[in-house]
Amino acid sequence: MERRRIGQLDVSVVGVGCNNFGSRIDADATKAVVDAALVAGVNYFDTAESYGGGKSEEFLGAALGERRAEVLIATKWQAPPGTNDTHFGSREAMRTAVEGSLARLDTDYIDHYILHVPDPDTPIAETLAALDELKQEGKIRETGCSNFSAAQLDEAVSEAARLGVAPFASVQNHYSLLHRDPETDGVLEACARHGIAFVPYFPLESGLLTGKYRSGEALPEGSRLAGWNAELASRFINDERLRTVSVLGDWTEQHGHTLLDLAMSWLLVKQQVASVICGATSPAQVAANVSAAGWSLTGEELDALNAVLG
């Protein structure tokens, strides 16, 4: 599998999002997904202390076992789940968080440590300095941020230079065929300006871009959106989006591909995208996600697609 860079890390262009571990699937099913991913050439696993109430990290660590050194683990921290604590980007809070993640993952280092959301109450300089300390101690290898604006990325880069420490190596924001804000809000431009890798989350719009949801039909039993409340699900699925998905499905079929092929491969056309992380609840889903990333879209196809999308 092709690999791209996040700082010093060579990550597989398809990664596994571990948000299902400990919530939608148990430890045995998690191991099956991890095993399938390793066989398929995936080396990048993205989790967070908040996923599954900490179970995601625990299940991932247990599933990897002695194979820990073969993979790159990304995990994220923010305010402790269920609290409204502020200053989670502070040195003290970060050290508490990283020790908790290390214990749950059963490892002595984290490859990619990510600030899950901006901390409005802690200067970014304090966060960057504390992350640098963790790097010097060997507890983390690379850093990242998530849900940052272009202005926040610019500020972080400026502060890192002032302090003489490494800036964030990546940013993880919402980006997909149906949600293209990073193209217009300046984030992709900031990534290009500063050499920051981009990692999209919700690349499949919680399954909408797999074609499993259809207009006029009930949400498939056991699907992620079926398990969410109506207000949350409506952020991803509505009549207009279903019509767009139907049009895209027809277009991809005419080109001998699936909607999943398009959703994955379209993102990887962008060289700033380092890895497309997709959740999976079964080995079959892992295999499908990996296979889908192989469509080398031509310039003509991209132009035609933009015309289809209007």
Side-chain angles (χ1 to χ4, degrees), residues 173-184 188 198-210 235-236 241 244-245 248 259 262-268 270 273 276-278 305-306 309:
N173 283 9
H174 188 179
Y175 189 33
S176 76
L177 263 173
L178 300 182
H179 185 97
R180 298 173 65 168
D181 286 4
E183 297 174 4
T184 57
L188 284 177
F198 188 96
V199 179
Y201 68 74
F202 290 139
L204 304 180
E205 292 297 309
S206 292
L208 186 61
L209 287 172
T210 66
R235 291 172 48 195
F236 294 90
R241 279 188 152 209
T244 301
V245 166
L248 288 173
L259 189 57
L262 178 63
M264 296 289 290
S265 298
W266 178 82
L267 284 166
L268 289 171
K270 284 81 174 157
V273 172
V276 181
I277 50 172
C278 299
L305 177 61
N306 283 330
L309 290 170

Side-chain angles (χ1 to χ4, degrees), residues 138-156:
K139 292 187 176 182
I140 65 174
R141 297 178 62 198
E142 275 297 356
T143 65
C145 58
S146 183
N147 298 295
F148 267 48
S149 68
Q152 288 168 325
L153 290 175
D154 288 340
E155 180 188 12

Side-chain angles (χ1 to χ4, degrees), residues 1-4 11-15 37 40-43 289-291 293:
M1 184 185 297
E2 180 190 351
R3 296 189 178 182
R4 296 182 184 177
V11 303
S12 53
V13 294
V14 178
V42 172
N43 76 339
N289 292 339
V290 170
S291 176

Side-chain angles (χ1 to χ4, degrees), residues 127-293:
T127 301
L128 290 165
L131 286 168
D132 187 67
E133 288 180 7
L134 293 176
K135 288 181 74 172
Q136 298 305 319
E137 295 168 14
K139 292 187 176 182
I140 65 174
R141 297 178 62 198
E142 275 297 356
T143 65
C145 58
S146 183
N147 298 295
F148 267 48
S149 68
Q152 288 168 325
L153 290 175
D154 288 340
E155 180 188 12
V157 169
S158 176
E159 286 297 282
R162 183 180 66 82
L163 294 169
V165 302
F168 291 123
S170 70
V171 61
Q172 188 178 127
N173 283 9
H174 188 179
Y175 189 33
S176 76
L177 263 173
L178 300 182
H179 185 97
R180 298 173 65 168
D181 286 4
E183 297 174 4
T184 57
D185 64 12
V187 167
L188 284 177
E189 291 178 3
C191 287
R193 191 161 57 244
H194 302 303
I196 298 171
F198 188 96
V199 179
Y201 68 74
F202 290 139
L204 304 180
E205 292 297 309
S206 292
L208 186 61
L209 287 172
T210 66
K212 72 172 68 174
Y213 303 104
R214 297 182 180 277
S215 182
E217 297 182 6
L219 300 180
E221 186 176 351
S223 64
R224 180 185 294 185
L225 292 181
W228 288 355
N229 63 54
E231 181 180 355
L232 182 57
S234 67
R235 291 172 48 195
F236 294 90
I237 189 167
N238 55 46
D239 290 341
E240 181 179 354
R241 279 188 152 209
L242 285 169
R243 283 192 294 270
T244 301
V245 166
S246 177
V247 171
L248 288 173
D250 291 341
W251 187 85
T252 55
E253 186 175 349
Q254 293 167 11
H255 287 75
H257 286 277
T258 68
L259 189 57
L260 178 60
D261 294 345
L262 178 63
M264 296 289 290
S265 298
W266 178 82
L267 284 166
L268 289 171
V269 167
K270 284 81 174 157
Q271 287 302 306
Q272 288 165 296
V273 172
S275 184
V276 181
I277 50 172
C278 299
T281 57
S282 69
Q285 284 188 332
V286 173
N289 292 339
V290 170
S291 176

